[in-house]
Amino acid sequence: MPSDEVSSLPLDKLPAEWQQNDRLDVLFGPVRNKYVNSFDWENKRKFWKESIEVHCSHNKLYTFNLSRLERAFLHDRRTPACLKDVFEDLIKTGDLVPLVDFLQKPETTWSGWATSTLVKKPLSWTFNKMKSSIVTTNTANIEYVHHTVVKQEATKLLDAIPDNLLNTLLELKDFAKAMDFPQLESIKILLHQLSLEEKVAIRECCHDGKPLMLLRFNTVPKALQDIDEQIYILTKEEKILQNKVAYLENRIKELHKEAKEHLTQGNKHMARTVLRKKKLQEKSIESLEKNAHNVSSLLHNLEDTAHNHAVYKTYRMAIANLKANLEKLNIDNVDETMAQLGELVDTNNDIQSALGQSLDAGSEEDLEAELAALMEEGSNDTPNISPKPKSTRVENEEDELKFPSVPNSPSSTVGDTAKTEPA
């Protein structure tokens, strides 16, 4: 196994070759010709790239140089001979970025970007090129940032932040303490990465002659302003005054208890001395309470001012947008547009009606004419039979039957009746 630094890493995250001494001897050797034996180069490159990532992530080591990295991977008093080649390859791929370049703030405007791209960077490149040709630079001591690891760790840090710390103004040391992150320099690198991603707003200022770094993790990107700094400082001062008042109140209780004990013991002189101290503490509390009240009033007014300013900016923005929109509109243009719209609607209706007409309109007319003629011929051939009432038809049927009348005399016979029937 390698030195203490590497052996302290979790074995389940390290490449499996760290458990094989014969493979380590090969991987610690120099790089052969990359074009002749590309397989050897790819194996070493993959092994050391993964080992460096694990080393940086596990130890929260985000800035380093080649010299420190070689010492970190010391094994049997031997440094990796191929680490420099891997180091240079990681620089080309963008995994490693010079610290001075990483800490540069990105340009937020087109003019700033153009100036940086077309003026500053070419001049910087020319200067560095001339400097390197005159002065030999020890590249092993140049500080680099493992950009890949920093991005990953910054995302983990952001996901681990509790909800009560979001959208809240924080001081760097308080945030590091809350996140159990003792290395301030390392957490600054992660915060800088989050600021580049507009996930956190950072403002460096000074309070009581001491540097102060303020943070606010935003769900919506929003830079810190002067008024945010003032509100934070006043809030901090208010808490300090409140703590002093609480301390003096406890002290007064202790002095009151001490004075009673002296009286119990019959020592009036000491009791009187303690009461004098108690009176002084009470006067101090009165003064501190007045100061705390003034600070609280200032803080309240400042917060109201900030809110009013935000509302005012919203109003001004709304007015500007309304003016810009109304400049493009007037009543004549609106009337003309509505008239054109009505004409277009009428034209569209006419088009739809035209498209809905049948393609066989002529043949339909011929069919209708022929159908009418047939109906007329049928009406001429049909006999004109007038309907008869039911009573008349019954009478006619009775006339046709001509039943004989019933004889009045009993001597009439059936035979006589038959003779009188018509043939």
Side-chain angles (χ1 to χ4, degrees):
M1 281 297 295
S3 63
D4 294 339
E5 290 88 346
V6 180
S7 62
S8 64
L9 294 177
L11 297 178
D12 58 332
K13 294 183 179 180
L14 283 171
E17 289 82 355
W18 282 107
Q19 304 290 335
Q20 307 168 8
N21 289 329
D22 54 341
R23 285 291 298 153
L24 283 180
D25 291 337
V26 176
L27 294 170
F28 267 69
V31 177
R32 301 171 187 174
N33 193 316
K34 300 177 183 178
Y35 303 100
V36 175
N37 192 348
S38 59
F39 182 75
D40 176 72
W41 160 245
E42 286 298 328
N43 283 340
K44 290 180 179 179
R45 177 182 177 275
K46 180 181 179 182
F47 171 80
W48 285 111
K49 178 182 179 181
E50 185 177 351
S51 298
I52 292 172
E53 288 186 7
V54 174
H55 172 67
C56 295
S57 178
H58 181 76
N59 294 299
K60 300 186 184 300
L61 182 66
Y62 310 127
T63 61
F64 52 86
N65 55 41
L66 180 58
S67 298
R68 293 207 307 272
L69 203 60
E70 289 176 339
R71 292 194 299 269
F73 290 110
L74 189 65
H75 176 54
D76 292 338
R77 299 181 181 181
R78 179 186 175 188
T79 58
C82 60
L83 196 58
K84 182 178 180 181
D85 297 292
V86 177
F87 204 82
E88 292 175 353
D89 183 77
L90 293 176
I91 294 173
K92 291 179 182 178
T93 57
D95 292 304
L96 299 184
V97 180
L99 180 61
V100 292
D101 295 340
F102 175 77
L103 294 178
Q104 288 182 354
K105 294 183 179 180
E107 301 294 343
T108 56
T109 61
W110 183 91
S111 59
W113 175 85
T115 303
S116 176
T117 304
L118 303 177
V119 180
K120 292 181 181 180
K121 288 185 178 180
L123 288 176
S124 176
W125 181 86
T126 304
F127 173 77
N128 291 331
K129 195 70 176 177
M130 293 176 61
K131 181 180 177 181
S132 61
S133 62
I134 299 173
V135 181
T136 302
T137 306
N138 187 5
T139 56
N141 294 324
I142 298 177
E143 290 292 318
Y144 287 88
V145 173
H146 202 303
H147 205 190
T148 305
V149 174
V150 167
K151 286 182 178 179
Q152 296 173 355
E153 295 299 316
T155 302
K156 292 179 182 178
L157 177 65
L158 186 63
D159 294 339
I161 297 175
D163 294 339
N164 62 322
L165 297 183
L166 296 176
N167 297 314
T168 303
L169 207 56
L170 305 167
E171 195 172 342
L172 174 62
K173 62 179 184 180
D174 297 332
F175 173 72
K177 183 178 179 181
M179 299 302 296
D180 194 19
F181 212 112
Q183 302 175 2
L184 291 181
E185 293 303 321
S186 296
I187 200 173
K188 284 181 181 179
I189 297 293
L190 301 183
L191 291 174
H192 182 73
Q193 175 62 35
L194 291 175
S195 69
L196 296 178
E197 300 174 6
E198 296 185 348
K199 302 293 180 58
V200 61
I202 301 176
R203 184 179 180 87
E204 296 183 7
C205 54
C206 187
H207 179 57
D208 289 338
K210 298 179 181 179
L212 187 66
M213 179 179 286
L214 301 179
L215 315 169
R216 184 171 62 198
F217 293 89
N218 304 320
T219 53
V220 178
K222 185 179 180 182
L224 292 177
Q225 307 295 333
D226 292 339
I227 194 168
D228 297 315
E229 176 185 340
Q230 295 166 3
I231 289 176
Y232 178 81
I233 291 176
L234 283 176
T235 303
K236 188 175 182 179
E237 290 293 335
E238 184 182 28
K239 289 181 179 178
I240 292 174
L241 291 172
Q242 290 174 351
N243 292 335
K244 286 183 177 179
V245 169
Y247 169 78
L248 290 178
E249 287 177 347
N250 291 331
R251 181 60 180 158
I252 288 174
K253 292 179 181 178
E254 292 175 357
L255 292 174
H256 181 75
K257 183 178 179 181
E258 184 179 351
K260 290 180 68 176
E261 291 176 355
H262 287 303
L263 287 176
T264 303
Q265 298 173 1
N267 194 344
K268 293 183 179 180
H269 177 71
M270 288 300 299
R272 189 178 293 107
T273 302
V274 171
L275 289 176
R276 288 195 185 99
K277 293 180 181 180
K278 178 174 172 290
K279 291 293 183 182
L280 292 175
Q281 301 293 349
E282 290 174 349
K283 289 182 180 180
S284 298
I285 285 181
E286 292 179 3
S287 177
L288 289 173
E289 286 178 343
K290 290 179 181 179
N291 293 336
H293 176 73
N294 293 335
V295 170
S296 178
S297 298
L298 286 173
L299 184 61
H300 178 73
N301 293 332
L302 197 59
E303 290 175 345
D304 285 347
T305 303
H307 175 71
N308 294 337
H309 180 67
V311 173
Y312 172 75
K313 286 180 64 178
T314 304
Y315 288 167
R316 295 297 301 174
M317 187 180 300
I319 291 173
N321 291 333
L322 285 173
K323 285 184 177 180
N325 292 329
L326 290 176
E327 286 177 357
K328 304 174 185 178
L329 298 174
N330 57 61
I331 189 63
D332 295 332
N333 292 338
V334 173
D335 290 340
E336 182 179 356
T337 300
M338 295 304 297
Q340 292 178 357
L341 182 61
E343 293 177 359
L344 291 174
V345 171
D346 293 339
T347 303
N348 183 62
N349 293 335
D350 294 340
I351 291 173
Q352 288 182 348
S353 299
L355 292 175
Q357 294 179 1
S358 175
L359 297 177
D360 299 332
S363 59
E364 288 290 335
E365 293 178 357
D366 295 341
L367 291 174
E368 290 293 336
E370 186 176 355
L371 181 62
L374 290 174
M375 292 177 64
E376 184 178 357
E377 291 178 1
S379 61
N380 294 333
D381 295 339
T382 303
N384 187 11
I385 301 175
S386 58
K388 294 181 179 181
K390 181 178 180 182
S391 58
T392 307
R393 181 169 56 86
V394 172
E395 292 176 356
N396 293 335
E397 290 178 353
E398 291 178 352
D399 293 339
E400 291 177 356
L401 290 176
K402 293 182 180 181
F403 288 104
S405 59
V406 178
N408 295 326
S409 61
S411 62
S412 297
T413 63
V414 175
D416 294 338
T417 304
K419 289 180 181 181
T420 61
E421 290 181 356

